[in-house]
Amino acid sequence: MKKNKTILIIYVIVFCVGICFAYIMLTREIKKHKNAPVIDFANGVDIEVKDISFERNGLFLNGKEYNANGISGYSKFHYKDSYLELESINVPFILRKQKQNDTLKIIKDEKEMYLLVSKEIEYRKNGGFEINRY
């Protein structure tokens, strides 16, 4: 009986430590995401992208994480009459957005591709479900 109580106490302690660890890691990630530079409507962006990655649902440009409001590797940029996913566009390219504008541009080899940021944010808020996304 004493052995069962000891095992139960160990399980409770490990469970509580696990809950505390998960809470601390979650709050740390939320704080890091809030403090990251934001790609939004109010601010302009002009970045020459030499390295891009999408680690842990984040957008990393040149090794720096950005709070991209739902822009991911699956975001589709308009080019002529077709779409290109962000992760399929090879670096280097220029990522540009003007202030008070919701159009994100990628300029690569004299070609411009566009993403409407407001549509992307709306799409992500709806859980990725929208029949007529574009």
Side-chain angles (χ1 to χ4, degrees), residues 67-98:
N67 183 348
N69 290 325
I71 298 170
S72 69
Y74 303 111
S75 297
K76 295 183 179 180
F77 280 76
H78 297 267
Y79 178 67
K80 294 185 179 178
D81 291 335
S82 63
Y83 301 109
L84 293 171
E85 287 187 352
L86 180 56
E87 67 182 358
S88 68
I89 301 170
N90 295 326
V91 292
F93 57 83
I94 296 173
L95 185 69
R96 185 173 289 157
K97 191 182 98 35
Q98 296 175 346

Side-chain angles (χ1 to χ4, degrees), residues 91-107:
V91 292
F93 57 83
I94 296 173
L95 185 69
R96 185 173 289 157
K97 191 182 98 35
Q98 296 175 346
K99 288 184 178 182
Q100 302 300 329
N101 191 338
D102 67 344
T103 303
L104 189 65
K105 295 180 189 178
I106 287 184
I107 303 167

Side-chain angles (χ1 to χ4, degrees), residues 14 19 22-23 25 31 39 61-62 64 72 84-86 96 101 107 111 120 123 133-134:
V14 168
I19 294 290
Y23 176 77
M25 293 305 289
K31 186 183 283 187
I39 297 175
L61 303 173
N62 301 330
K64 186 175 183 181
S72 69
L84 293 171
E85 287 187 352
L86 180 56
R96 185 173 289 157
N101 191 338
I107 303 167
K111 300 173 190 171
E120 197 67 23
Y123 176 73
R133 182 173 175 192
Y134 297 102

Side-chain angles (χ1 to χ4, degrees), residues 29 32-33 36-37 55-56 58-61 63-67:
E29 285 296 316
K32 187 171 85 171
H33 186 70
E55 302 166 16
R56 299 183 193 156
L59 175 63
F60 289 81
L61 303 173
K64 186 175 183 181
E65 183 177 12
Y66 284 81
N67 183 348

